[in-house]
C-alpha cells in the first residue's frame, strides 16, 4: 500500500544517535538514513524507543550524543507529529474545524488572518479523513476513532515535508483505520516522507523500510529483510510465533491482533480507544 521507489536524498540522517530521558537511555548509538519520500515503519517491543525516536525527529527531544540531521527542521519547514489520541477535557471549547485549523498557525503566526490556501488545506484534510461533516462538533464529543482521524487531519493540514505518526491506527475501528492508512498512502504518493510506529507487521510490510528497535537498532532495511525470523526473535524473543509456512507473528498480550481490537472497539460503541 505504501511502498514506492525511494528518491535520492536523505530526510533523516542519524549517526551514533543516543536518546534518553533522565538516567534512562531509550536508544543506544543508532545509525540510519531515511530517504526523502520514503515510508518507514518503526517496530519493536513496548519501551523499545519508537516514540522517543519520533519525538527526536520532530525536534522535541534533543540527542544526548551522536548526530541527528533532519533537513526539514533546519529549513524551518513544517514537520507534523501526530500522537495517539487521548481523552479531551470536556470543558475545552474547541470544534473539529478549529482543532485542524490550529495546524496552519505555525505558518501564519498567531494574529494573521487565514488565507485562501489555509482554508483549502483545512478543508482538504477534513475531507480526506471523512470528518468534514463533523466540523462544527466539539472535539470531546467524538469517539476515539473520530478524534484520531481529526488529529491526523490536523497533521496533514500542515503540508509538512516530514509526517510522523505514533501508532496512528492502534485500537481503532475498521473505518478509521482504513481512512488513516489511505491518507498515509496519499502522503507517500505525493513525495512526502512518512515515519510511523506500529505493532502490526502487516502495516509495516506496506512501507518501503522497517526500522526494528529494541533500545538500539536491531535491523533497518526493506520489510522482506527485517520482518524475518532472526531479527524479530532478537528484538521480541519468545513473543515471536513461527508457522510452518515460514510466516511470523507477534504474540503480545499488551497489543491484541487488529481484528480483536476492532471487535472490542465496536462492542464498546466506538467511544473508547484501545490501549
Amino acid at each position: 500500500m505504501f511502498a514506492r521507489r525511494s528518491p535520492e536524498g536523505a530526510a533523516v540522517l542519524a549517526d551514533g544517535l543516543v536518546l534518553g530521558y533522565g538516567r534512562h537511555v531509550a536508544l543506544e548509538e543508532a545509525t540510519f538514513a531515511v530517504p526523502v519520500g520514503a515510508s518507514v515503519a518503526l517496530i519493536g517491543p513496548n519501551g523499545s524507543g519508537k516514540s522517543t525516536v519520533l519525538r527526536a525527529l520532530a525536534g522535541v527531544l534533543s540527542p544526548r550524543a551522536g548526530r541527528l540531521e533532519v533537513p526539514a527542521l533546519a529549513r524551518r519547514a513544517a514537520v507534523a507529529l501526530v500522537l495517539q489520541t487521548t481523552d479531551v477535557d470536556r470543558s475545552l471549547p474547541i470544534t473539529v474545524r478549529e482543532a485542524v485549523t490550529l495546524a496552519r498557525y505555525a505558518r501564519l503566526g498567531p494574529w494573521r488572518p487565514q488565507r485562501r490556501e489555509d482554508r483549502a488545506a483545512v478543508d482538504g484534510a477534513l475531507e480526506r479523513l471523512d470528518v468534514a461533516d463533523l466540523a462544527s462538533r466539539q472535539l470531546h464529543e467524538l469517539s476515539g476513532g473520530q478524534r484520531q482521524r481529526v488529529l491526523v487531519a490536523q497533521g496533514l493540514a500542515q503540508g509538512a515535508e516530514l509526517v510522523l505518526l505514533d501508532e496512528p491506527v492502534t485500537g481503532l475501528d475498521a473505518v478509521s483505520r482504513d481512512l488513516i492508512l489511505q491518507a498515509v498512502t496519499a502522503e507517500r504518493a505525493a513525495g512526502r516522507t512518512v515515519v510511523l510506529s506500529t505493532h502490526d507487521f502487516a502495516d509495516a510490510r506496506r512501507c518501503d523500510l522497517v526500522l526494528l528497535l529494541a533500545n538500539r537498532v536491531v535491523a533497518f532495511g526493506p520489510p522482506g529483510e527485517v520482518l524475518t525470523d532472526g531479527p524479530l526473535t532478537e528484538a521480541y524473543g519468545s513473543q515471536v510465533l513461527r508457522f510452518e509456512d515460514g510466516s511470523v507473528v507477534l504474540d503480545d498480550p499488551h497489543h491484541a491482533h487488529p481484528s480483536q481490537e476492532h471487535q472490542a472497539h465496536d462492542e464498546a460503541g466506538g467511544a473508547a480507544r484501545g490501549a
Side-chain angles (χ1 to χ4, degrees):
M1 184 189 300
F2 307 154
R4 290 166 58 92
R5 67 181 181 85
S6 297
E8 295 182 358
V12 175
L13 180 62
D15 185 11
L17 177 64
V18 178
L19 300 173
Y21 306 93
R23 296 182 178 180
H24 173 67
V25 176
L27 186 70
E28 298 178 351
E29 296 188 355
T31 297
F32 58 90
V34 175
V36 170
S39 57
V40 181
L42 302 181
I43 66 170
N46 289 333
S48 61
K50 300 184 298 296
S51 295
T52 301
V53 168
L54 289 174
R55 284 162 172 74
L57 298 186
V60 177
L61 179 66
S62 298
R64 281 189 172 184
R67 180 165 60 109
L68 176 62
E69 295 182 7
V70 183
L73 289 176
R75 294 193 298 272
R76 297 188 177 180
V79 174
L81 174 61
V82 179
L83 303 176
Q84 287 181 289
T85 187
T86 58
D87 291 334
V88 177
D89 188 342
R90 298 184 68 86
S91 65
L92 178 65
I94 185 169
T95 67
V96 167
R97 175 174 290 278
E98 289 168 344
V100 176
T101 301
L102 288 174
R104 302 300 298 178
Y105 286 115
R107 294 174 179 267
L108 282 172
W111 309 116
R112 293 177 58 188
Q114 291 185 62
R115 303 159 298 184
R116 179 181 300 176
E117 56 263 40
D118 298 310
R119 291 189 291 272
V122 170
D123 290 342
L126 291 169
E127 291 288 345
R128 289 169 63 185
L129 276 300
D130 196 22
V131 289
D133 60 332
L134 305 175
S136 62
R137 293 271 300 275
Q138 291 291 310
L139 194 59
H140 68 77
E141 296 176 347
L142 306 185
S143 70
Q146 290 170 333
R147 282 200 303 274
Q148 185 67 14
R149 282 151 57 187
V150 172
L151 292 182
V152 173
Q154 184 187 70
L156 300 187
Q158 294 183 46
E161 296 178 11
L162 177 61
V163 181
L164 310 170
L165 303 106
D166 193 1
E167 296 190 31
V169 296
T170 298
L172 298 189
D173 60 278
V175 171
S176 294
R177 174 184 171 84
D178 289 345
L179 285 167
I180 290 172
L181 292 179
Q182 289 171 18
V184 171
T185 300
E187 289 297 288
R188 174 66 183 84
R192 299 183 179 95
T193 307
V194 180
V195 182
L196 62 90
S197 64
T198 181
H199 286 274
D200 191 320
F201 291 173
D203 291 343
R205 289 189 183 96
R206 297 184 179 107
C207 293
D208 296 312
L209 299 166
V210 176
L211 181 59
L212 175 57
L213 300 175
N215 302 114
R216 59 186 176 82
V217 175
V218 176
F220 180 55
E225 297 178 5
V226 176
L227 299 176
T228 57
D229 193 7
L232 291 176
T233 300
E234 185 176 347
Y236 289 96
S238 60
Q239 292 179 329
V240 174
L241 301 180
R242 306 163 189 80
F243 294 94
E244 292 182 358
D245 63 0
S247 62
V248 291
V249 297
L250 179 62
D251 181 23
D252 185 350
H254 299 291
H255 291 87
H257 186 275
S259 62
Q260 296 172 325
E261 290 174 336
H262 298 164
Q263 179 181 358
H265 187 282
D266 292 340
E267 291 174 351
R273 170 94 188 259

